[in-house]
Amino acid sequence: MAPEPPATRAQCEALDAADPLAFARARFRLPAGVTYLDGNSLGALPADTPARVARTVEREWGEGLIGSWNAAGWIDQPQRLGARIAPLVGASADEVVCADSTSINLFKLAAAALKLRPGRPVILADAEDFPTDLYMLQGLAGLVGGVEVRALPEAAWGEALAGADVALLVSSHVNYRTGAVRDMAGWTARAHAAGALALWDLSHSAGAIVVELDACEADFAIGCGYKYLNGGPGAPAWLYVARRWQAEAQNPLSGWLGHAAPFAFEPGYREGEGMARWLCGTPSVLGMAALEAGLDTFDGVDMAAVEAKAQALCALFAATVEREAPGVFGSALPQGARRASHVSLRHPDGYAMVQALIAEGVVGDFRAPDILRFGFTPLYLGHAQVFDAACKVAEMAMSGRWRDPRFSVRAAVT
Ligand SMILES: *Cc1c(COP(=O)(O)O)cnc(C)c1O
């Protein structure tokens, strides 16, 4: 059992004074007066990122010009950054590469999985997954023909796998709405027992909780660079292919940088070795520079400590809101589910409440239809700050200040 969350600010201050991750706070640049509870959607700016990006632009690009592909190691960025993400997700350095977006990486790997399981026409997906994952699978099915995307709630997966027609199970490890963690080892084993493969989306897990891709025997995984990895808006994503599939699995987006010899300029495609074949076109060098600075924020950071602190902050926040505003919010976390690193409260006026909180310096986000989502990134948040934010959420909800019509105006990004 986890310990009871602290009930007073003084207890929170004592926890902060003993926090083994307190050193990491200085690695970020956050505006004064803001409690940022949205690192699960866009990680905060690392203190080193502006200088790193400026160096890449001014020195490497401005002075080094095209020579920087070699001299500054631009061409090796996808593998170099992949090797840095690998230990955060329980993978080996040669099983991860940085490329493209999460959506595109999902497409590449799901297509590869279908080819590895001929005669099995079903992709089993989580009906509650982040929509782009479902959309990309639908697009893939439309392209290859004869393939069905069966999007089902987790409770129906077991029965679906029993049908012997499933090629691939695709799911997020952490549900983006509720914050619930799926049993990666268990579901991967059940998929394998049914003759299917498993592809995990780690967008809400990488850098947030302990992930053990190799130990879980996952086949494939993908994830995002701009959430907990702090790579900046639109940062490059990454993908994982278990070593046992690397010789056989094929990238359907056979671009020149995935070729065995890109600079031989041969007319025919020959796939590269290892993870190199999962590249498509030219890497986004400026985005990768920022992502590298984001990954530096994990230097010397123990993921078990990150997960433990995230759990403690989530529990503190949820308990404090409930104590200060009893019964006002519902919880989106299913009964008995393990929570990752964000707390999702439910309220029919959640959108306006989130906007009002942002106006008063507590930044969370809203997910339709009724979820107020608050992410807890242990590298830059402390217990006392989270205690204060929870009191603020409760006070705001009870005050009715959120009823001001300006808080109900919907922006494009919620
Ligand atoms: C954030 C997120 C994505 C984002 O995909 P992009 O291609 O980077 O826009 C995909 N899947 C999940 C589960 C996510 O949480």
Side-chain angles (χ1 to χ4, degrees):
M1 277 299 286
E4 280 292 302
T8 67
R9 195 173 198 285
Q11 288 171 319
C12 290
E13 285 166 8
L15 288 172
D16 287 339
D19 179 2
L21 292 174
F23 68 91
R25 172 65 186 82
R27 295 179 175 181
F28 294 89
R29 197 192 273 186
L30 283 152
V34 168
T35 297
Y36 190 61
L37 305 183
D38 216 359
N40 52 308
S41 203
L42 174 65
L45 173 65
D48 288 344
T49 300
R52 178 76 57 93
V53 173
R55 188 182 76 202
T56 303
V57 171
E58 288 168 8
R59 227 187 295 155
E60 295 175 8
W61 179 14
E63 293 169 23
L65 293 166
I66 199 165
S68 285
W69 280 107
N70 295 314
W74 287 351
I75 198 68
D76 306 318
Q77 275 175 327
Q79 280 86 356
R80 196 168 66 237
L81 271 61
R84 304 221 23 216
I85 292 169
L88 299 176
V89 294
S92 304
D94 61 356
E95 292 176 306
V96 180
V97 77
C98 253
D100 302 317
S101 67
T102 312
S103 303
I104 290 174
N105 290 335
L106 175 67
F107 183 92
K108 294 189 290 196
L109 291 175
L114 284 177
K115 272 192 115 167
L116 293 170
R117 286 290 177 268
R120 287 174 168 256
V122 175
I123 300 176
L124 175 59
D126 180 2
E128 282 142 34
D129 213 335
F130 190 82
T132 199
D133 294 37
L134 300 173
Y135 300 161
M136 293 307 291
L137 295 175
Q138 289 160 15
L140 173 64
L143 185 68
V144 298
V147 167
E148 178 201 343
V149 179
R150 206 172 285 164
L152 298 173
E154 186 181 18
W157 294 356
E159 197 181 331
L161 283 170
D165 54 359
V166 176
L168 176 68
L169 167 65
V170 178
S171 175
S172 284
H173 183 214
V174 172
N175 182 274
Y176 77 106
R177 266 210 189 95
T178 64
V181 185
R182 299 262 188 259
D183 176 6
M184 181 190 288
W187 280 116
T188 301
R190 292 177 75 173
H192 289 172
L197 301 173
L199 191 172
W200 293 95
D201 187 333
L202 304 183
S203 290
H204 284 277
S205 351
I209 59 174
V210 173
V211 181
E212 295 285 0
L213 283 172
D214 283 346
C216 289
E217 298 189 10
D219 300 291
F220 307 110
I222 53 175
C224 193
Y226 49 79
K227 292 172 179 155
Y228 293 99
L229 300 183
N230 306 311
W238 56 272
L239 68 153
Y240 159 94
V241 177
R243 205 177 282 132
R244 64 185 176 280
W245 291 120
Q246 288 184 3
E248 217 179 322
Q250 291 179 310
N251 181 358
L253 301 184
S254 43
W256 72 304
L257 284 187
H259 192 281
F263 287 87
F265 295 104
E266 297 167 6
Y269 186 74
R270 280 193 296 129
E271 56 209 353
E273 289 289 313
M275 292 305 289
R277 74 175 53 168
W278 296 97
L279 303 179
C280 183
T282 307
S284 162
V285 171
L286 302 182
M288 295 244 182
L291 177 55
E292 192 159 29
L295 294 171
D296 286 349
T297 65
F298 285 91
D299 277 352
V301 165
D302 170 19
M303 282 310 298
V306 169
E307 176 168 330
K309 185 175 167 191
Q311 301 280 314
L313 294 178
C314 285
L316 167 65
F317 181 84
T320 307
V321 170
E322 188 52 33
R323 188 179 62 243
E324 300 295 319
V328 169
F329 295 101
S331 167
L333 189 70
Q335 275 289 317
R338 181 180 146 216
R339 180 156 52 205
S341 195
H342 65 267
V343 172
S344 292
L345 306 176
R346 305 192 100 121
H347 193 285
D349 294 307
Y351 182 82
M353 288 178 170
V354 166
Q355 300 315 308
L357 285 164
I358 292 171
E360 296 191 20
V362 175
V363 180
D365 63 21
F366 174 77
R367 286 294 173 266
D370 63 350
I371 290 180
L372 301 87
R373 202 172 59 154
F374 301 96
F376 296 91
T377 41
L379 298 189
Y380 48 84
L381 290 171
H383 296 75
Q385 194 184 8
V386 167
F387 181 87
D388 291 345
C391 292
K392 180 87 170 178
V393 170
E395 186 271 329
M396 166 68 70
M398 315 262 275
S399 76
R401 285 198 297 285
W402 51 270
R403 292 183 198 277
D404 187 316
R406 75 191 156 110
F407 296 132
S408 294
V409 179
R410 299 261 171 158
V413 176
T414 63

